[in-house]
Amino acid sequence: MSVWTLGLNHTTAPLDLRGRFAFALDQLAPTLQSLRSSFATGRHPQVEAAIISTCNRTEIYCAAEHAALDHTVGWLAESGGVAPALLRSHAYALQDDEAARHVFRVASGLDSMVLGEAQILGQMKDAVRAAETVGALGSTLNQLFQRSFAVAKEVRTATEIGAHSISMAAAAVRLAGQLFEDLYQTRVLFVGAGEMIDLAATHFAAKDPKAIAIANRTLERGEKLASRFGGEAMRLADLPNRLAEFDIVVSCTASTLPIIGLGAVERALKARKHRPMFMVDLAVPRDIEPEVKALEDIYLYTVDDLAQVVQQGQANRQAAVAQAEVIIDAGVQSFMHWLGQRGTVPLIQQLNAQADEWRAAEMARARKLLARGEPVDAVLEAMSRGLTQKLLHGAMAELHAGDAESREHTAQTISRLFLRKER
C-alpha cells in the first residue's frame, strides 16, 4: 500500500486561491464521493480518501496499492476551476513517509499559522468522521490518522509547544486594542455562529464591550450563541442596514460568495460620519469584499494578515519544536514499519492456512491410530514426526535443487529461519 497527500496552505497559496478549494464540513461527504468516483473510472477502484479543509489549508489524503498523484492534482484543479499547472505551483505533493510526517506535524500544530494551536486537531477528527460516514476511510488511512492523533497528544503532553500560542481570536483582540483605546466602549458584531465565531466572541466578551450582536442565517442558532454573551441576535438579511452601528465586525461563515460588499461598507461609513471600523474576515473564501480594505477609516484584516501577530514569540518555542520533531520522527518510523508489514499479510495468512491444514491432517491420522488401539506414545511419536516432515519438506527440496549459488542462498535463509539461537 502507498499513502499520499496533495495540499495547499497559508504558506504556499494566497488567500483567494485557497478559497477556490475550501470545502465546508457538510460538503466533505459528497466531495469525497466525487473524488473516489473519479478514481473508480481508472486504474484505482479501491482508493481510500479523506479531505481536511480549514481557513488555512485544504489537503487530500489517499491510500491505494499504487500512488496516483497526477490524477489527484487533476481532480482538485478541476474542482477549483484552475489549470493543473497553477495548482501544482502552489501545492505540495507528498508520499509515504513524507505524507505521514506531514499529517503528524499538522495534527501536532507544527504546520499551523498559530504554532501549537489545538483547533486543527478537532478539524481533523471532523474530517475523519466525514470520511468514515461515506465509507471512504479504510484500514490504512484510519491507522494513519489514529496514529497522528496519538502523536499529537504526546507532543502536547511532553512539550510546551502550545504554551505561548496566540489564537486568531486573541490576535484580533490585540489588533482591535491598537485601534480603539477602550474596547469596553465599542460595539462588536459577529457574523456567523460557528466554532471560530464562538472562539472570537469569547475573547472579545472578556474585554466587556458596550454591546455584542450575532448575525446569522439561522436566527435560532444566532440567539443561542448571543445568549451566552448577553448579546442580541439578528438575521443576516438585516446586516446591511445595521452595519453602521458597530465599531468592530468579525465575520466567518461558510458562504461561497462575499456577504459584506463594498457598497454596504461605504454606506455604513457615511452614516458613522467616517468614525473608524475594525473588520476581521476569518472566512475562506472571503466574507468581505477585498476592495473594502482600500477605504479610508476601514481597518480590514484577513487570516493571512494576522500571521505576523500570531507568530510573535515563536523563537521562544523552538526548543519545544525540536522535542516535538523527535516524537514525530518516532511516529513516522512506527507507521512506515506497520505499512511495510501490510505487504506480508497475505503470505502470513497463507502460511497459517497451510500449517492448519497439515495439523488437521496429522490430528485426523492420530485419531484413527488411537481408535485402532495403537499405544498413545507411538501415536504421539508418529504425529510429531509427520508434522516435522511436512514443515521441513519444502526447505529440504530447495537445498537439493538449483545451482550452487542458489543452494548457498537457500542454505543461508534456512539457517536464519530454523537454526538461529533463541535470545
Side-chain angles (χ1 to χ4, degrees), residues 3-6 32 35 39 47-52 57-63 72 92 94 98-104 106-107 124 136-137 141 144-145:
V3 295
W4 70 94
T5 184
L6 172 70
L32 278 169
L35 172 60
F39 279 112
V47 173
E48 301 176 29
I51 296 175
I52 297 171
R57 73 183 64 248
T58 293
E59 295 178 342
I60 297 173
Y61 289 87
C62 295
T72 313
Y92 39 90
L94 307 169
E98 290 184 351
R101 185 180 308 281
H102 179 75
V103 70
F104 290 172
V106 171
M124 290 176 69
L137 202 71
L141 281 190
L144 177 66
F145 283 114

PDB file of all heavy atoms in Angstrom, residues 3-6 32 35 39 47-52 57-63 72 92 94 98-104 106-107 124 136-137 141 144-145:
ATOM      1  N   VAL A   3       0.564   5.629   0.611  1.00  0.00           N
ATOM      2  CA  VAL A   3      -0.261   6.764   1.043  1.00  0.00           C
ATOM      3  C   VAL A   3       0.310   8.026   0.417  1.00  0.00           C
ATOM      4  O   VAL A   3       1.513   8.144   0.210  1.00  0.00           O
ATOM      5  CB  VAL A   3      -0.304   6.902   2.573  1.00  0.00           C
ATOM      6  CG1 VAL A   3      -0.979   5.711   3.202  1.00  0.00           C
ATOM      7  CG2 VAL A   3       1.089   7.097   3.160  1.00  0.00           C
ATOM      8  N   TRP A   4      -0.567   8.961   0.089  1.00  0.00           N
ATOM      9  CA  TRP A   4      -0.101  10.221  -0.470  1.00  0.00           C
ATOM     10  C   TRP A   4      -1.041  11.352  -0.077  1.00  0.00           C
ATOM     11  O   TRP A   4      -2.202  11.118   0.275  1.00  0.00           O
ATOM     12  CB  TRP A   4       0.053  10.141  -1.982  1.00  0.00           C
ATOM     13  CG  TRP A   4      -1.204  10.038  -2.797  1.00  0.00           C
ATOM     14  CD1 TRP A   4      -1.911  11.052  -3.374  1.00  0.00           C
ATOM     15  CD2 TRP A   4      -1.911   8.828  -3.146  1.00  0.00           C
ATOM     16  NE1 TRP A   4      -2.995  10.561  -4.062  1.00  0.00           N
ATOM     17  CE2 TRP A   4      -3.018   9.202  -3.947  1.00  0.00           C
ATOM     18  CE3 TRP A   4      -1.705   7.478  -2.881  1.00  0.00           C
ATOM     19  CZ2 TRP A   4      -3.917   8.275  -4.459  1.00  0.00           C
ATOM     20  CZ3 TRP A   4      -2.602   6.551  -3.385  1.00  0.00           C
ATOM     21  CH2 TRP A   4      -3.688   6.944  -4.168  1.00  0.00           C
ATOM     22  N   THR A   5      -0.512  12.570  -0.099  1.00  0.00           N
ATOM     23  CA  THR A   5      -1.318  13.745   0.196  1.00  0.00           C
ATOM     24  C   THR A   5      -1.009  14.845  -0.798  1.00  0.00           C
ATOM     25  O   THR A   5       0.135  15.012  -1.235  1.00  0.00           O
ATOM     26  CB  THR A   5      -1.081  14.242   1.635  1.00  0.00           C
ATOM     27  OG1 THR A   5      -1.961  15.333   1.904  1.00  0.00           O
ATOM     28  CG2 THR A   5       0.339  14.721   1.837  1.00  0.00           C
ATOM     29  N   LEU A   6      -2.047  15.578  -1.162  1.00  0.00           N
ATOM     30  CA  LEU A   6      -1.929  16.768  -2.001  1.00  0.00           C
ATOM     31  C   LEU A   6      -2.579  17.900  -1.251  1.00  0.00           C
ATOM     32  O   LEU A   6      -3.717  17.768  -0.775  1.00  0.00           O
ATOM     33  CB  LEU A   6      -2.639  16.554  -3.342  1.00  0.00           C
ATOM     34  CG  LEU A   6      -2.745  17.789  -4.242  1.00  0.00           C
ATOM     35  CD1 LEU A   6      -1.378  18.167  -4.793  1.00  0.00           C
ATOM     36  CD2 LEU A   6      -3.731  17.557  -5.380  1.00  0.00           C
ATOM     37  N   LEU A  32     -16.013  13.849  -1.250  1.00  0.00           N
ATOM     38  CA  LEU A  32     -15.260  12.593  -1.177  1.00  0.00           C
ATOM     39  C   LEU A  32     -15.827  11.555  -2.138  1.00  0.00           C
ATOM     40  O   LEU A  32     -15.079  10.816  -2.788  1.00  0.00           O
ATOM     41  CB  LEU A  32     -15.302  12.044   0.251  1.00  0.00           C
ATOM     42  CG  LEU A  32     -14.301  12.649   1.240  1.00  0.00           C
ATOM     43  CD1 LEU A  32     -14.633  12.210   2.661  1.00  0.00           C
ATOM     44  CD2 LEU A  32     -12.879  12.252   0.883  1.00  0.00           C
ATOM     45  N   LEU A  35     -14.587  12.445  -5.552  1.00  0.00           N
ATOM     46  CA  LEU A  35     -13.166  12.098  -5.701  1.00  0.00           C
ATOM     47  C   LEU A  35     -12.989  10.598  -5.922  1.00  0.00           C
ATOM     48  O   LEU A  35     -12.288  10.164  -6.850  1.00  0.00           O
ATOM     49  CB  LEU A  35     -12.399  12.543  -4.452  1.00  0.00           C
ATOM     50  CG  LEU A  35     -10.932  12.092  -4.350  1.00  0.00           C
ATOM     51  CD1 LEU A  35     -10.111  12.619  -5.520  1.00  0.00           C
ATOM     52  CD2 LEU A  35     -10.330  12.536  -3.014  1.00  0.00           C
ATOM     53  N   PHE A  39     -11.608   8.127  -9.296  1.00  0.00           N
ATOM     54  CA  PHE A  39     -10.606   7.061  -9.286  1.00  0.00           C
ATOM     55  C   PHE A  39     -11.184   5.763  -9.852  1.00  0.00           C
ATOM     56  O   PHE A  39     -10.489   4.994 -10.516  1.00  0.00           O
ATOM     57  CB  PHE A  39     -10.115   6.801  -7.856  1.00  0.00           C
ATOM     58  CG  PHE A  39      -9.082   7.774  -7.378  1.00  0.00           C
ATOM     59  CD1 PHE A  39      -9.371   8.673  -6.364  1.00  0.00           C
ATOM     60  CD2 PHE A  39      -7.815   7.800  -7.933  1.00  0.00           C
ATOM     61  CE1 PHE A  39      -8.421   9.569  -5.898  1.00  0.00           C
ATOM     62  CE2 PHE A  39      -6.852   8.691  -7.484  1.00  0.00           C
ATOM     63  CZ  PHE A  39      -7.164   9.579  -6.475  1.00  0.00           C
ATOM     64  N   VAL A  47      -9.587   3.203  -3.824  1.00  0.00           N
ATOM     65  CA  VAL A  47      -8.805   4.244  -3.160  1.00  0.00           C
ATOM     66  C   VAL A  47      -9.496   4.700  -1.878  1.00  0.00           C
ATOM     67  O   VAL A  47     -10.684   5.003  -1.880  1.00  0.00           O
ATOM     68  CB  VAL A  47      -8.596   5.452  -4.098  1.00  0.00           C
ATOM     69  CG1 VAL A  47      -7.940   6.602  -3.347  1.00  0.00           C
ATOM     70  CG2 VAL A  47      -7.734   5.054  -5.287  1.00  0.00           C
ATOM     71  N   GLU A  48      -8.735   4.724  -0.778  1.00  0.00           N
ATOM     72  CA  GLU A  48      -9.210   5.341   0.455  1.00  0.00           C
ATOM     73  C   GLU A  48      -8.961   6.842   0.348  1.00  0.00           C
ATOM     74  O   GLU A  48      -7.975   7.267  -0.268  1.00  0.00           O
ATOM     75  CB  GLU A  48      -8.453   4.791   1.664  1.00  0.00           C
ATOM     76  CG  GLU A  48      -8.552   3.290   1.851  1.00  0.00           C
ATOM     77  CD  GLU A  48      -7.695   2.818   3.024  1.00  0.00           C
ATOM     78  OE1 GLU A  48      -7.505   3.614   3.965  1.00  0.00           O
ATOM     79  OE2 GLU A  48      -7.223   1.671   2.989  1.00  0.00           O
ATOM     80  N   ALA A  49      -9.822   7.656   0.954  1.00  0.00           N
ATOM     81  CA  ALA A  49      -9.640   9.104   0.826  1.00  0.00           C
ATOM     82  C   ALA A  49     -10.220   9.850   2.022  1.00  0.00           C
ATOM     83  O   ALA A  49     -11.189   9.409   2.640  1.00  0.00           O
ATOM     84  CB  ALA A  49     -10.293   9.606  -0.460  1.00  0.00           C
ATOM     85  N   ALA A  50      -9.615  10.988   2.334  1.00  0.00           N
ATOM     86  CA  ALA A  50     -10.122  11.910   3.349  1.00  0.00           C
ATOM     87  C   ALA A  50      -9.699  13.318   2.938  1.00  0.00           C
ATOM     88  O   ALA A  50      -8.659  13.492   2.289  1.00  0.00           O
ATOM     89  CB  ALA A  50      -9.583  11.572   4.737  1.00  0.00           C
ATOM     90  N   ILE A  51     -10.499  14.311   3.298  1.00  0.00           N
ATOM     91  CA  ILE A  51     -10.202  15.699   2.951  1.00  0.00           C
ATOM     92  C   ILE A  51     -10.255  16.555   4.209  1.00  0.00           C
ATOM     93  O   ILE A  51     -11.241  16.506   4.959  1.00  0.00           O
ATOM     94  CB  ILE A  51     -11.198  16.255   1.916  1.00  0.00           C
ATOM     95  CG1 ILE A  51     -11.079  15.485   0.597  1.00  0.00           C
ATOM     96  CG2 ILE A  51     -10.951  17.746   1.675  1.00  0.00           C
ATOM     97  CD1 ILE A  51     -12.116  15.905  -0.443  1.00  0.00           C
ATOM     98  N   ILE A  52      -9.193  17.309   4.447  1.00  0.00           N
ATOM     99  CA  ILE A  52      -9.154  18.284   5.544  1.00  0.00           C
ATOM    100  C   ILE A  52      -9.233  19.671   4.919  1.00  0.00           C
ATOM    101  O   ILE A  52      -8.426  20.016   4.047  1.00  0.00           O
ATOM    102  CB  ILE A  52      -7.857  18.152   6.358  1.00  0.00           C
ATOM    103  CG1 ILE A  52      -7.788  16.770   7.010  1.00  0.00           C
ATOM    104  CG2 ILE A  52      -7.764  19.253   7.410  1.00  0.00           C
ATOM    105  CD1 ILE A  52      -6.451  16.481   7.660  1.00  0.00           C
ATOM    106  N   ARG A  57      -5.897  25.728   5.149  1.00  0.00           N
ATOM    107  CA  ARG A  57      -5.401  24.638   4.316  1.00  0.00           C
ATOM    108  C   ARG A  57      -6.539  23.831   3.725  1.00  0.00           C
ATOM    109  O   ARG A  57      -7.639  23.770   4.281  1.00  0.00           O
ATOM    110  CB  ARG A  57      -4.507  23.712   5.139  1.00  0.00           C
ATOM    111  CG  ARG A  57      -5.235  22.831   6.123  1.00  0.00           C
ATOM    112  CD  ARG A  57      -4.298  21.978   6.969  1.00  0.00           C
ATOM    113  NE  ARG A  57      -3.444  22.807   7.810  1.00  0.00           N
ATOM    114  CZ  ARG A  57      -2.131  22.916   7.642  1.00  0.00           C
ATOM    115  NH1 ARG A  57      -1.521  22.224   6.701  1.00  0.00           N
ATOM    116  NH2 ARG A  57      -1.426  23.695   8.424  1.00  0.00           N
ATOM    117  N   THR A  58      -6.258  23.198   2.590  1.00  0.00           N
ATOM    118  CA  THR A  58      -7.081  22.126   2.045  1.00  0.00           C
ATOM    119  C   THR A  58      -6.123  21.012   1.662  1.00  0.00           C
ATOM    120  O   THR A  58      -5.168  21.238   0.915  1.00  0.00           O
ATOM    121  CB  THR A  58      -7.885  22.569   0.813  1.00  0.00           C
ATOM    122  OG1 THR A  58      -8.869  23.530   1.215  1.00  0.00           O
ATOM    123  CG2 THR A  58      -8.592  21.382   0.170  1.00  0.00           C
ATOM    124  N   GLU A  59      -6.370  19.809   2.196  1.00  0.00           N
ATOM    125  CA  GLU A  59      -5.477  18.683   1.947  1.00  0.00           C
ATOM    126  C   GLU A  59      -6.281  17.428   1.654  1.00  0.00           C
ATOM    127  O   GLU A  59      -7.275  17.145   2.336  1.00  0.00           O
ATOM    128  CB  GLU A  59      -4.566  18.444   3.160  1.00  0.00           C
ATOM    129  CG  GLU A  59      -3.608  19.597   3.430  1.00  0.00           C
ATOM    130  CD  GLU A  59      -2.743  19.395   4.647  1.00  0.00           C
ATOM    131  OE1 GLU A  59      -3.076  18.542   5.499  1.00  0.00           O
ATOM    132  OE2 GLU A  59      -1.732  20.103   4.771  1.00  0.00           O
ATOM    133  N   ILE A  60      -5.845  16.697   0.646  1.00  0.00           N
ATOM    134  CA  ILE A  60      -6.447  15.413   0.298  1.00  0.00           C
ATOM    135  C   ILE A  60      -5.473  14.313   0.704  1.00  0.00           C
ATOM    136  O   ILE A  60      -4.286  14.359   0.350  1.00  0.00           O
ATOM    137  CB  ILE A  60      -6.715  15.315  -1.214  1.00  0.00           C
ATOM    138  CG1 ILE A  60      -7.728  16.371  -1.645  1.00  0.00           C
ATOM    139  CG2 ILE A  60      -7.218  13.927  -1.586  1.00  0.00           C
ATOM    140  CD1 ILE A  60      -7.923  16.442  -3.152  1.00  0.00           C
ATOM    141  N   TYR A  61      -5.967  13.340   1.454  1.00  0.00           N
ATOM    142  CA  TYR A  61      -5.165  12.178   1.841  1.00  0.00           C
ATOM    143  C   TYR A  61      -5.754  10.943   1.175  1.00  0.00           C
ATOM    144  O   TYR A  61      -6.973  10.734   1.213  1.00  0.00           O
ATOM    145  CB  TYR A  61      -5.168  11.996   3.359  1.00  0.00           C
ATOM    146  CG  TYR A  61      -4.376  13.053   4.081  1.00  0.00           C
ATOM    147  CD1 TYR A  61      -4.962  14.265   4.439  1.00  0.00           C
ATOM    148  CD2 TYR A  61      -3.026  12.863   4.374  1.00  0.00           C
ATOM    149  CE1 TYR A  61      -4.232  15.255   5.085  1.00  0.00           C
ATOM    150  CE2 TYR A  61      -2.294  13.836   5.016  1.00  0.00           C
ATOM    151  CZ  TYR A  61      -2.900  15.031   5.368  1.00  0.00           C
ATOM    152  OH  TYR A  61      -2.164  16.001   5.994  1.00  0.00           O
ATOM    153  N   CYS A  62      -4.907  10.139   0.560  1.00  0.00           N
ATOM    154  CA  CYS A  62      -5.362   8.929  -0.133  1.00  0.00           C
ATOM    155  C   CYS A  62      -4.446   7.754   0.195  1.00  0.00           C
ATOM    156  O   CYS A  62      -3.281   7.939   0.561  1.00  0.00           O
ATOM    157  CB  CYS A  62      -5.368   9.141  -1.651  1.00  0.00           C
ATOM    158  SG  CYS A  62      -6.563  10.378  -2.237  1.00  0.00           S
ATOM    159  N   ALA A  63      -4.997   6.566   0.017  1.00  0.00           N
ATOM    160  CA  ALA A  63      -4.210   5.334   0.162  1.00  0.00           C
ATOM    161  C   ALA A  63      -4.715   4.337  -0.855  1.00  0.00           C
ATOM    162  O   ALA A  63      -5.922   4.202  -1.070  1.00  0.00           O
ATOM    163  CB  ALA A  63      -4.337   4.772   1.573  1.00  0.00           C
ATOM    164  N   THR A  72      -4.893  12.920  -8.741  1.00  0.00           N
ATOM    165  CA  THR A  72      -5.390  13.733  -7.628  1.00  0.00           C
ATOM    166  C   THR A  72      -5.254  15.215  -7.945  1.00  0.00           C
ATOM    167  O   THR A  72      -6.165  16.008  -7.669  1.00  0.00           O
ATOM    168  CB  THR A  72      -4.626  13.393  -6.338  1.00  0.00           C
ATOM    169  OG1 THR A  72      -4.554  11.975  -6.171  1.00  0.00           O
ATOM    170  CG2 THR A  72      -5.316  13.990  -5.126  1.00  0.00           C
ATOM    171  N   TYR A  92       1.661  21.166  -2.503  1.00  0.00           N
ATOM    172  CA  TYR A  92       2.699  20.203  -2.146  1.00  0.00           C
ATOM    173  C   TYR A  92       2.116  18.806  -2.324  1.00  0.00           C
ATOM    174  O   TYR A  92       0.942  18.554  -2.030  1.00  0.00           O
ATOM    175  CB  TYR A  92       3.188  20.396  -0.704  1.00  0.00           C
ATOM    176  CG  TYR A  92       2.114  20.737   0.289  1.00  0.00           C
ATOM    177  CD1 TYR A  92       1.419  19.750   0.989  1.00  0.00           C
ATOM    178  CD2 TYR A  92       1.778  22.074   0.527  1.00  0.00           C
ATOM    179  CE1 TYR A  92       0.435  20.071   1.896  1.00  0.00           C
ATOM    180  CE2 TYR A  92       0.784  22.409   1.428  1.00  0.00           C
ATOM    181  CZ  TYR A  92       0.117  21.400   2.112  1.00  0.00           C
ATOM    182  OH  TYR A  92      -0.876  21.728   3.014  1.00  0.00           O
ATOM    183  N   LEU A  94       3.027  14.865  -1.417  1.00  0.00           N
ATOM    184  CA  LEU A  94       3.889  14.071  -0.557  1.00  0.00           C
ATOM    185  C   LEU A  94       3.442  12.613  -0.576  1.00  0.00           C
ATOM    186  O   LEU A  94       2.254  12.321  -0.732  1.00  0.00           O
ATOM    187  CB  LEU A  94       3.840  14.599   0.879  1.00  0.00           C
ATOM    188  CG  LEU A  94       4.118  16.102   1.046  1.00  0.00           C
ATOM    189  CD1 LEU A  94       3.777  16.555   2.450  1.00  0.00           C
ATOM    190  CD2 LEU A  94       5.569  16.404   0.712  1.00  0.00           C
ATOM    191  N   GLU A  98       6.934  10.837   3.841  1.00  0.00           N
ATOM    192  CA  GLU A  98       6.777  12.289   3.841  1.00  0.00           C
ATOM    193  C   GLU A  98       5.327  12.684   4.115  1.00  0.00           C
ATOM    194  O   GLU A  98       5.056  13.670   4.813  1.00  0.00           O
ATOM    195  CB  GLU A  98       7.229  12.876   2.497  1.00  0.00           C
ATOM    196  CG  GLU A  98       8.735  12.802   2.269  1.00  0.00           C
ATOM    197  CD  GLU A  98       9.144  13.485   0.977  1.00  0.00           C
ATOM    198  OE1 GLU A  98       8.235  13.857   0.201  1.00  0.00           O
ATOM    199  OE2 GLU A  98      10.354  13.652   0.758  1.00  0.00           O
ATOM    200  N   ALA A  99       4.392  11.921   3.561  1.00  0.00           N
ATOM    201  CA  ALA A  99       2.967  12.182   3.822  1.00  0.00           C
ATOM    202  C   ALA A  99       2.647  11.930   5.291  1.00  0.00           C
ATOM    203  O   ALA A  99       1.912  12.703   5.922  1.00  0.00           O
ATOM    204  CB  ALA A  99       2.104  11.303   2.931  1.00  0.00           C
ATOM    205  N   ALA A 100       3.200  10.861   5.850  1.00  0.00           N
ATOM    206  CA  ALA A 100       2.969  10.554   7.266  1.00  0.00           C
ATOM    207  C   ALA A 100       3.543  11.643   8.160  1.00  0.00           C
ATOM    208  O   ALA A 100       2.893  12.104   9.106  1.00  0.00           O
ATOM    209  CB  ALA A 100       3.587   9.194   7.614  1.00  0.00           C
ATOM    210  N   ARG A 101       4.770  12.075   7.849  1.00  0.00           N
ATOM    211  CA  ARG A 101       5.387  13.132   8.651  1.00  0.00           C
ATOM    212  C   ARG A 101       4.540  14.402   8.604  1.00  0.00           C
ATOM    213  O   ARG A 101       4.336  15.079   9.619  1.00  0.00           O
ATOM    214  CB  ARG A 101       6.805  13.427   8.144  1.00  0.00           C
ATOM    215  CG  ARG A 101       7.560  14.446   9.000  1.00  0.00           C
ATOM    216  CD  ARG A 101       8.962  14.699   8.436  1.00  0.00           C
ATOM    217  NE  ARG A 101       9.671  13.455   8.227  1.00  0.00           N
ATOM    218  CZ  ARG A 101      10.258  12.769   9.196  1.00  0.00           C
ATOM    219  NH1 ARG A 101      10.221  13.214  10.430  1.00  0.00           N
ATOM    220  NH2 ARG A 101      10.882  11.644   8.932  1.00  0.00           N
ATOM    221  N   HIS A 102       4.017  14.709   7.417  1.00  0.00           N
ATOM    222  CA  HIS A 102       3.226  15.931   7.271  1.00  0.00           C
ATOM    223  C   HIS A 102       1.958  15.875   8.127  1.00  0.00           C
ATOM    224  O   HIS A 102       1.661  16.824   8.861  1.00  0.00           O
ATOM    225  CB  HIS A 102       2.852  16.142   5.800  1.00  0.00           C
ATOM    226  CG  HIS A 102       2.022  17.370   5.575  1.00  0.00           C
ATOM    227  ND1 HIS A 102       2.552  18.638   5.605  1.00  0.00           N
ATOM    228  CD2 HIS A 102       0.693  17.515   5.345  1.00  0.00           C
ATOM    229  CE1 HIS A 102       1.592  19.516   5.394  1.00  0.00           C
ATOM    230  NE2 HIS A 102       0.452  18.856   5.230  1.00  0.00           N
ATOM    231  N   VAL A 103       1.209  14.769   8.054  1.00  0.00           N
ATOM    232  CA  VAL A 103      -0.043  14.702   8.810  1.00  0.00           C
ATOM    233  C   VAL A 103       0.228  14.697  10.316  1.00  0.00           C
ATOM    234  O   VAL A 103      -0.535  15.280  11.091  1.00  0.00           O
ATOM    235  CB  VAL A 103      -0.891  13.481   8.393  1.00  0.00           C
ATOM    236  CG1 VAL A 103      -0.281  12.173   8.838  1.00  0.00           C
ATOM    237  CG2 VAL A 103      -2.322  13.609   8.914  1.00  0.00           C
ATOM    238  N   PHE A 104       1.339  14.108  10.751  1.00  0.00           N
ATOM    239  CA  PHE A 104       1.691  14.140  12.169  1.00  0.00           C
ATOM    240  C   PHE A 104       2.020  15.579  12.605  1.00  0.00           C
ATOM    241  O   PHE A 104       1.658  15.984  13.712  1.00  0.00           O
ATOM    242  CB  PHE A 104       2.888  13.227  12.450  1.00  0.00           C
ATOM    243  CG  PHE A 104       2.582  11.752  12.318  1.00  0.00           C
ATOM    244  CD1 PHE A 104       3.591  10.806  12.383  1.00  0.00           C
ATOM    245  CD2 PHE A 104       1.288  11.308  12.103  1.00  0.00           C
ATOM    246  CE1 PHE A 104       3.311   9.450  12.267  1.00  0.00           C
ATOM    247  CE2 PHE A 104       0.994   9.952  11.982  1.00  0.00           C
ATOM    248  CZ  PHE A 104       2.015   9.024  12.063  1.00  0.00           C
ATOM    249  N   VAL A 106       0.898  18.343  11.146  1.00  0.00           N
ATOM    250  CA  VAL A 106      -0.356  19.104  11.121  1.00  0.00           C
ATOM    251  C   VAL A 106      -1.149  18.852  12.407  1.00  0.00           C
ATOM    252  O   VAL A 106      -1.602  19.792  13.064  1.00  0.00           O
ATOM    253  CB  VAL A 106      -1.203  18.731   9.884  1.00  0.00           C
ATOM    254  CG1 VAL A 106      -2.599  19.348   9.987  1.00  0.00           C
ATOM    255  CG2 VAL A 106      -0.525  19.214   8.614  1.00  0.00           C
ATOM    256  N   ALA A 107      -1.312  17.589  12.773  1.00  0.00           N
ATOM    257  CA  ALA A 107      -2.085  17.256  13.972  1.00  0.00           C
ATOM    258  C   ALA A 107      -1.458  17.844  15.232  1.00  0.00           C
ATOM    259  O   ALA A 107      -2.172  18.241  16.166  1.00  0.00           O
ATOM    260  CB  ALA A 107      -2.193  15.732  14.107  1.00  0.00           C
ATOM    261  N   MET A 124      -9.441  17.957  12.133  1.00  0.00           N
ATOM    262  CA  MET A 124      -9.012  16.697  11.526  1.00  0.00           C
ATOM    263  C   MET A 124      -9.941  15.551  11.921  1.00  0.00           C
ATOM    264  O   MET A 124     -10.289  14.700  11.098  1.00  0.00           O
ATOM    265  CB  MET A 124      -7.570  16.384  11.938  1.00  0.00           C
ATOM    266  CG  MET A 124      -6.541  17.306  11.316  1.00  0.00           C
ATOM    267  SD  MET A 124      -4.862  16.972  11.905  1.00  0.00           S
ATOM    268  CE  MET A 124      -4.560  15.378  11.145  1.00  0.00           C
ATOM    269  N   ALA A 136     -15.252   5.988   3.031  1.00  0.00           N
ATOM    270  CA  ALA A 136     -14.035   6.302   2.269  1.00  0.00           C
ATOM    271  C   ALA A 136     -12.762   6.011   3.049  1.00  0.00           C
ATOM    272  O   ALA A 136     -11.667   6.090   2.512  1.00  0.00           O
ATOM    273  CB  ALA A 136     -14.041   7.784   1.854  1.00  0.00           C
ATOM    274  N   LEU A 137     -12.909   5.685   4.340  1.00  0.00           N
ATOM    275  CA  LEU A 137     -11.739   5.505   5.200  1.00  0.00           C
ATOM    276  C   LEU A 137     -11.495   4.015   5.418  1.00  0.00           C
ATOM    277  O   LEU A 137     -12.255   3.351   6.109  1.00  0.00           O
ATOM    278  CB  LEU A 137     -11.968   6.209   6.540  1.00  0.00           C
ATOM    279  CG  LEU A 137     -10.715   6.573   7.325  1.00  0.00           C
ATOM    280  CD1 LEU A 137      -9.976   7.704   6.635  1.00  0.00           C
ATOM    281  CD2 LEU A 137     -11.085   6.989   8.738  1.00  0.00           C
ATOM    282  N   LEU A 141      -5.682   4.457   5.975  1.00  0.00           N
ATOM    283  CA  LEU A 141      -5.854   5.853   6.386  1.00  0.00           C
ATOM    284  C   LEU A 141      -6.326   5.937   7.829  1.00  0.00           C
ATOM    285  O   LEU A 141      -5.946   6.864   8.564  1.00  0.00           O
ATOM    286  CB  LEU A 141      -6.845   6.571   5.470  1.00  0.00           C
ATOM    287  CG  LEU A 141      -6.315   7.044   4.116  1.00  0.00           C
ATOM    288  CD1 LEU A 141      -7.315   7.951   3.429  1.00  0.00           C
ATOM    289  CD2 LEU A 141      -4.969   7.763   4.238  1.00  0.00           C
ATOM    290  N   LEU A 144      -3.311   5.690   9.847  1.00  0.00           N
ATOM    291  CA  LEU A 144      -2.517   6.922   9.731  1.00  0.00           C
ATOM    292  C   LEU A 144      -3.075   8.027  10.625  1.00  0.00           C
ATOM    293  O   LEU A 144      -2.327   8.675  11.379  1.00  0.00           O
ATOM    294  CB  LEU A 144      -2.503   7.391   8.273  1.00  0.00           C
ATOM    295  CG  LEU A 144      -1.774   8.712   7.997  1.00  0.00           C
ATOM    296  CD1 LEU A 144      -0.284   8.566   8.266  1.00  0.00           C
ATOM    297  CD2 LEU A 144      -1.998   9.165   6.560  1.00  0.00           C
ATOM    298  N   PHE A 145      -4.384   8.241  10.575  1.00  0.00           N
ATOM    299  CA  PHE A 145      -4.976   9.335  11.357  1.00  0.00           C
ATOM    300  C   PHE A 145      -4.994   9.017  12.849  1.00  0.00           C
ATOM    301  O   PHE A 145      -4.720   9.908  13.668  1.00  0.00           O
ATOM    302  CB  PHE A 145      -6.384   9.642  10.859  1.00  0.00           C
ATOM    303  CG  PHE A 145      -6.403  10.440   9.588  1.00  0.00           C
ATOM    304  CD1 PHE A 145      -6.887   9.892   8.412  1.00  0.00           C
ATOM    305  CD2 PHE A 145      -5.930  11.737   9.556  1.00  0.00           C
ATOM    306  CE1 PHE A 145      -6.887  10.621   7.230  1.00  0.00           C
ATOM    307  CE2 PHE A 145      -5.921  12.477   8.387  1.00  0.00           C
ATOM    308  CZ  PHE A 145      -6.400  11.919   7.218  1.00  0.00           C
TER     309      PHE A 145
END
